[in-house]
Amino acid sequence: MKAHRSFRDKYLLSTLIISAVVAVLTHFPEVLSLSDHFEQHALFPGINPVDVLNEILFTFLSLLFLFWINARIFRFGTSLVRVTKGKITLSFLLTWAFSSLLGQLFVWLHHRFDIPAIDAMVHHYLHPLRDLIIAGIIAGSNQIIHLIHRQQCMVVENEELHTESVRHQYESLKNQLNPHMLFNSLNTLQSLIRESPPKALEYTQELSRVLRYSLQDNDQQSVSLAEEMQRSEAYMFLMKMRYEENLVFDIDIDAALSGLHLPPMSVQLLIENAIKHNEISNRNPLTISIRSESGPSLVVRNRIQAKRQASPGPGIGLDNLAKRYRLLWQQEIQISADEEMFCVRIPLHQPDNAHESTHH
């Protein structure tokens, strides 16, 4: 709502400035002739400042009216309108017709009520050309205003995406490096060193991969599903080593969807969310299902096994993921829960080069 009001105010200010400038420029020959004695008699006989000022004022008011007509009919004054070539063409033709009618109205007012105006023949010959120029300026201005607004919106969205990406990386890194996580990782590593040094080495390598993914400065705002699942394997390996048979991953991904995109570290975030909020023990083993579905989408589902002394988290992870989807693709992720199952469905998208890199 605030952005819509801001665009409307900018549109109004732009139309005022454009109308004032065009009104003066279209009558610039008459303005020059006021200071040239020869031109007064040659091109605009009998011209005086009041006539010129009245012509400029009427042109200014006509331009404001024409902008208003365009805004009412084509909704150019709103930020959500889609500006197409068809609309611009119709706007040009309609503006040209209305400009001609307004010119004829001014001539009629001049003759009927003796309103000051320029009577020179060359001035009347210039009117059709000026109507054509005014129609082009108004239609072109509406398109340019919206192109500038769209470009500004893209810059703002890219900045927001970069901010959300940095925030997500920070939250992910903080989760990986918090004392509890480090304690569990080191405790698991200690046990593996004692029981199986080769597994301890493998565990260390996978832990370094997880931390590297969290630390790396990745400019991509989306990654392929294949790349995302490959990255998530390191984290799943760590969790499997920690919980052993008490944690099961049921993965079924259609290879045909592997090239579709989603925000980076989305799968790891959803796995973290499931592990954080559910009991995982011999009595209550947890199965996390990760499946692709038609739509296309990726669904992460688990049975609800609430911890007895679970501390409610701030929900930053899912909120961050939802915000990134809104910024990237103007879509919402679907979160559903009943008495037994918790499910998050995230859409998969074709690669979009416009969002592949952040503009700083």
Side-chain angles (χ1 to χ4, degrees), residues 275-322:
I275 293 174
K276 177 181 178 181
H277 295 285
N278 290 279
E279 177 185 348
I280 306 175
S281 63
N282 291 329
R283 183 181 59 183
N284 285 316
L286 180 69
T287 298
I288 299 177
S289 170
I290 304 173
R291 296 177 177 272
S292 59
E293 291 186 355
S294 58
S297 61
L298 187 72
V299 179
V300 178
R301 182 184 290 108
N302 63 270
R303 183 178 296 277
I304 296 176
Q305 302 170 181
K307 294 180 178 178
R308 293 182 180 180
Q309 298 179 345
S311 56
I316 292 176
L318 288 178
D319 287 344
N320 176 280
L321 182 60

Coordinates of all heavy atoms in Angstrom, one line a residue, residues 275-322:
I275 N 14.3 -31.9 12.7 CA 15.1 -32.5 13.8 C 15.0 -31.7 15.1 O 14.9 -32.2 16.2 CB 16.6 -32.6 13.4 CG1 16.7 -33.7 12.2 CG2 17.5 -33.0 14.5 CD1 18.1 -33.8 11.6
K276 N 14.9 -30.4 14.9 CA 14.9 -29.5 16.1 C 13.6 -29.6 16.9 O 13.6 -29.6 18.1 CB 15.0 -28.0 15.6 CG 14.9 -27.0 16.7 CD 15.0 -25.6 16.1 CE 14.8 -24.5 17.1 NZ 14.9 -23.1 16.6
H277 N 12.5 -29.9 16.2 CA 11.2 -29.9 16.9 C 10.6 -31.2 17.2 O 9.5 -31.3 17.8 CB 10.1 -29.1 16.1 CG 10.5 -27.6 16.0 ND1 10.3 -26.7 17.0 CD2 11.0 -26.9 14.9 CE1 10.7 -25.5 16.6 NE2 11.1 -25.6 15.3
N278 N 11.4 -32.3 16.9 CA 10.8 -33.6 17.1 C 11.8 -34.5 18.0 O 13.0 -34.4 17.9 CB 10.5 -34.3 15.8 CG 9.4 -33.7 15.1 OD1 8.2 -34.0 15.3 ND2 9.7 -32.8 14.1
E279 N 11.2 -35.4 18.7 CA 12.0 -36.4 19.5 C 12.5 -37.4 18.6 O 11.8 -38.0 17.7 CB 11.1 -37.0 20.6 CG 11.8 -38.1 21.4 CD 10.9 -38.8 22.4 OE1 9.8 -38.3 22.6 OE2 11.4 -39.8 22.9
I280 N 13.8 -37.7 18.8 CA 14.4 -38.8 18.0 C 15.1 -39.7 19.0 O 16.1 -39.4 19.6 CB 15.5 -38.2 17.0 CG1 14.8 -37.2 16.1 CG2 16.1 -39.3 16.1 CD1 15.8 -36.5 15.2
S281 N 14.6 -40.9 19.1 CA 15.1 -41.9 20.1 C 14.8 -43.3 19.6 O 14.1 -43.5 18.6 CB 14.5 -41.6 21.4 OG 13.1 -41.8 21.4
N282 N 15.3 -44.3 20.4 CA 15.0 -45.7 20.1 C 13.5 -45.9 20.2 O 12.9 -46.7 19.4 CB 15.7 -46.6 21.1 CG 17.2 -46.6 20.9 OD1 17.7 -46.4 19.7 ND2 18.0 -46.8 21.9
R283 N 12.9 -45.3 21.1 CA 11.4 -45.4 21.3 C 10.6 -44.7 20.2 O 9.6 -45.2 19.7 CB 11.0 -44.8 22.6 CG 9.5 -45.0 23.0 CD 9.2 -44.4 24.3 NE 9.5 -43.0 24.3 CZ 9.4 -42.2 25.4 NH1 8.9 -42.7 26.5 NH2 9.7 -40.9 25.3
N284 N 11.1 -43.6 19.7 CA 10.5 -42.8 18.7 C 11.4 -42.4 17.6 O 11.9 -41.3 17.5 CB 9.9 -41.5 19.3 CG 8.6 -41.8 20.1 OD1 7.7 -42.6 19.7 ND2 8.5 -41.2 21.3
P285 N 11.8 -43.4 16.7 CA 12.6 -43.0 15.6 C 11.9 -42.1 14.6 O 10.6 -42.1 14.6 CB 12.9 -44.4 14.9 CG 11.8 -45.3 15.4 CD 11.4 -44.8 16.7
L286 N 12.6 -41.2 14.0 CA 12.0 -40.2 13.1 C 12.3 -40.5 11.6 O 13.5 -40.7 11.3 CB 12.5 -38.8 13.5 CG 11.9 -37.7 12.6 CD1 10.4 -37.5 12.9 CD2 12.6 -36.4 12.9
T287 N 11.3 -40.5 10.8 CA 11.5 -40.6 9.4 C 11.2 -39.3 8.7 O 10.1 -38.8 8.9 CB 10.6 -41.7 8.8 OG1 10.9 -43.0 9.4 CG2 10.8 -41.8 7.3
I288 N 12.1 -38.8 7.9 CA 11.9 -37.5 7.2 C 11.8 -37.9 5.7 O 12.7 -38.4 5.1 CB 13.0 -36.5 7.4 CG1 13.1 -36.2 8.9 CG2 12.8 -35.3 6.6 CD1 14.3 -35.3 9.2
S289 N 10.6 -37.6 5.2 CA 10.3 -37.9 3.8 C 10.6 -36.7 2.9 O 10.1 -35.6 3.2 CB 8.9 -38.4 3.6 OG 8.5 -38.5 2.2
I290 N 11.4 -36.9 1.8 CA 11.7 -35.8 0.9 C 11.3 -36.4 -0.5 O 12.0 -37.2 -1.0 CB 13.2 -35.4 0.9 CG1 13.6 -35.1 2.4 CG2 13.5 -34.3 0.0 CD1 15.1 -34.8 2.5
R291 N 10.3 -35.8 -1.1 CA 9.8 -36.3 -2.3 C 9.4 -35.2 -3.3 O 9.0 -34.1 -2.8 CB 8.5 -37.2 -2.1 CG 8.8 -38.4 -1.3 CD 7.5 -39.2 -1.0 NE 7.8 -40.4 -0.3 CZ 8.2 -41.6 -0.8 NH1 8.2 -41.7 -2.2 NH2 8.4 -42.7 -0.1
S292 N 9.6 -35.4 -4.6 CA 9.1 -34.5 -5.6 C 7.7 -34.9 -6.0 O 7.4 -36.0 -6.0 CB 10.1 -34.5 -6.8 OG 10.1 -35.8 -7.3
E293 N 7.0 -33.8 -6.3 CA 5.6 -34.1 -6.8 C 5.3 -33.2 -8.0 O 6.1 -32.3 -8.3 CB 4.6 -33.7 -5.7 CG 4.6 -34.6 -4.5 CD 3.6 -34.3 -3.5 OE1 2.8 -33.3 -3.7 OE2 3.4 -35.1 -2.5
S294 N 4.2 -33.6 -8.7 CA 3.8 -32.8 -9.9 C 3.4 -31.4 -9.4 O 3.0 -31.3 -8.3 CB 2.7 -33.5 -10.6 OG 1.6 -33.7 -9.7
G295 N 3.6 -30.5 -10.3 CA 3.2 -29.1 -9.8 C 4.1 -28.1 -10.6 O 3.6 -27.1 -11.1
P296 N 5.5 -28.3 -10.6 CA 6.2 -29.3 -9.7 C 6.6 -28.7 -8.4 O 6.7 -27.4 -8.2 CB 7.5 -29.5 -10.6 CG 7.7 -28.2 -11.3 CD 6.4 -27.6 -11.5
S297 N 6.8 -29.5 -7.4 CA 7.2 -29.1 -6.1 C 8.0 -30.1 -5.3 O 8.1 -31.3 -5.8 CB 5.9 -28.7 -5.3 OG 5.1 -29.9 -5.1
L298 N 8.6 -29.7 -4.2 CA 9.3 -30.6 -3.4 C 8.6 -30.6 -2.0 O 8.3 -29.6 -1.5 CB 10.8 -30.2 -3.2 CG 11.7 -31.1 -2.4 CD1 12.0 -32.3 -3.3 CD2 13.0 -30.4 -2.0
V299 N 8.4 -31.8 -1.5 CA 7.6 -32.0 -0.2 C 8.5 -32.6 0.8 O 9.1 -33.7 0.6 CB 6.3 -32.8 -0.5 CG1 5.6 -32.9 0.8 CG2 5.5 -32.1 -1.5
V300 N 8.6 -32.0 2.0 CA 9.3 -32.5 3.1 C 8.3 -32.8 4.2 O 7.6 -31.8 4.6 CB 10.5 -31.6 3.6 CG1 11.2 -32.2 4.8 CG2 11.5 -31.3 2.4
R301 N 8.2 -34.0 4.6 CA 7.2 -34.4 5.5 C 7.7 -35.3 6.7 O 8.6 -36.1 6.4 CB 6.1 -35.2 4.8 CG 4.9 -35.6 5.6 CD 3.9 -36.5 4.7 NE 3.2 -35.7 3.7 CZ 3.5 -35.8 2.4 NH1 4.4 -36.6 1.9 NH2 2.8 -35.0 1.5
N302 N 7.2 -35.1 7.9 CA 7.6 -36.0 9.0 C 6.5 -36.1 10.0 O 5.6 -35.3 10.1 CB 8.8 -35.4 9.7 CG 8.6 -34.1 10.3 OD1 8.8 -33.0 9.7 ND2 8.2 -34.1 11.6
R303 N 6.5 -37.2 10.7 CA 5.5 -37.5 11.8 C 5.8 -36.5 12.9 O 7.0 -36.3 13.3 CB 5.5 -38.9 12.2 CG 4.5 -39.3 13.3 CD 4.5 -40.7 13.6 NE 4.2 -41.5 12.5 CZ 2.9 -41.8 12.1 NH1 1.9 -41.3 12.8 NH2 2.7 -42.6 11.1
I304 N 4.8 -36.0 13.5 CA 5.0 -35.1 14.7 C 5.3 -35.9 15.9 O 4.4 -36.7 16.4 CB 3.7 -34.2 14.9 CG1 3.5 -33.2 13.6 CG2 3.9 -33.3 16.1 CD1 2.3 -32.4 13.7
Q305 N 6.5 -35.7 16.5 CA 6.9 -36.3 17.7 C 7.5 -35.3 18.6 O 8.7 -35.2 18.8 CB 7.9 -37.4 17.4 CG 7.4 -38.5 16.4 CD 8.5 -39.5 15.9 OE1 8.2 -40.4 15.1 NE2 9.7 -39.3 16.4
A306 N 6.6 -34.4 19.1 CA 7.0 -33.2 19.8 C 7.9 -33.6 21.0 O 7.6 -34.5 21.8 CB 5.8 -32.4 20.3
K307 N 9.0 -32.9 21.2 CA 9.9 -33.1 22.4 C 9.1 -32.7 23.6 O 8.4 -31.7 23.6 CB 11.1 -32.3 22.2 CG 12.0 -32.7 21.1 CD 13.3 -31.8 21.0 CE 14.2 -32.3 19.8 NZ 15.4 -31.5 19.7
R308 N 9.4 -33.4 24.7 CA 8.7 -33.1 26.0 C 9.1 -31.7 26.5 O 8.3 -31.0 27.1 CB 9.1 -34.2 27.0 CG 8.5 -35.5 26.7 CD 8.8 -36.6 27.7 NE 8.3 -37.9 27.4 CZ 8.4 -38.9 28.2 NH1 9.1 -38.9 29.3 NH2 7.9 -40.1 27.8
Q309 N 10.4 -31.3 26.4 CA 10.9 -30.1 26.9 C 11.5 -29.2 25.7 O 12.6 -28.7 25.8 CB 12.0 -30.3 28.0 CG 11.4 -31.0 29.2 CD 12.5 -31.2 30.2 OE1 13.7 -31.1 29.9 NE2 12.1 -31.6 31.4
A310 N 10.7 -29.1 24.7 CA 11.1 -28.4 23.5 C 11.0 -26.9 23.8 O 10.0 -26.4 24.3 CB 10.3 -28.8 22.3
S311 N 12.0 -26.2 23.5 CA 12.0 -24.7 23.6 C 11.5 -24.1 22.2 O 12.2 -24.4 21.2 CB 13.3 -24.1 24.0 OG 14.3 -24.5 23.0
P312 N 10.4 -23.5 22.2 CA 9.9 -23.0 20.9 C 10.9 -22.0 20.2 O 11.3 -21.1 20.9 CB 8.6 -22.3 21.3 CG 8.7 -21.9 22.7 CD 9.6 -23.0 23.3
G313 N 11.2 -22.3 19.0 CA 12.1 -21.4 18.3 C 11.4 -20.2 17.7 O 10.2 -20.2 17.7
P314 N 12.2 -19.2 17.2 CA 11.6 -18.0 16.7 C 11.0 -18.2 15.3 O 10.3 -17.3 14.8 CB 12.8 -17.1 16.6 CG 14.0 -18.0 16.5 CD 13.7 -19.2 17.2
G315 N 11.2 -19.4 14.7 CA 10.6 -19.6 13.4 C 11.3 -18.8 12.3 O 10.7 -18.5 11.2
I316 N 12.6 -18.4 12.5 CA 13.3 -17.6 11.5 C 13.5 -18.3 10.2 O 13.4 -17.8 9.1 CB 14.6 -17.1 12.1 CG1 14.4 -16.1 13.3 CG2 15.5 -16.4 11.1 CD1 15.6 -15.6 14.0
G317 N 13.8 -19.6 10.3 CA 14.1 -20.4 9.1 C 13.0 -20.5 8.1 O 13.2 -20.1 7.0
L318 N 11.8 -20.9 8.6 CA 10.7 -21.0 7.7 C 10.3 -19.6 7.2 O 9.9 -19.5 6.0 CB 9.5 -21.7 8.3 CG 9.7 -23.3 8.5 CD1 8.5 -23.8 9.3 CD2 9.9 -24.0 7.2
D319 N 10.3 -18.6 8.1 CA 9.9 -17.3 7.7 C 10.9 -16.8 6.6 O 10.5 -16.1 5.6 CB 10.0 -16.3 8.9 CG 8.8 -16.6 9.8 OD1 7.8 -17.2 9.4 OD2 8.8 -16.1 11.0
N320 N 12.2 -17.0 6.8 CA 13.1 -16.6 5.8 C 12.9 -17.3 4.4 O 13.0 -16.6 3.4 CB 14.5 -16.9 6.3 CG 15.6 -16.6 5.3 OD1 15.9 -17.4 4.4 ND2 16.3 -15.5 5.5
L321 N 12.7 -18.6 4.5 CA 12.4 -19.3 3.2 C 11.2 -18.8 2.5 O 11.2 -18.6 1.3 CB 12.2 -20.8 3.5 CG 12.0 -21.7 2.3 CD1 13.2 -21.7 1.4 CD2 11.8 -23.2 2.8
A322 N 10.1 -18.5 3.3 CA 8.9 -18.0 2.7 C 9.1 -16.6 2.1 O 8.6 -16.3 1.0 CB 7.8 -17.9 3.8

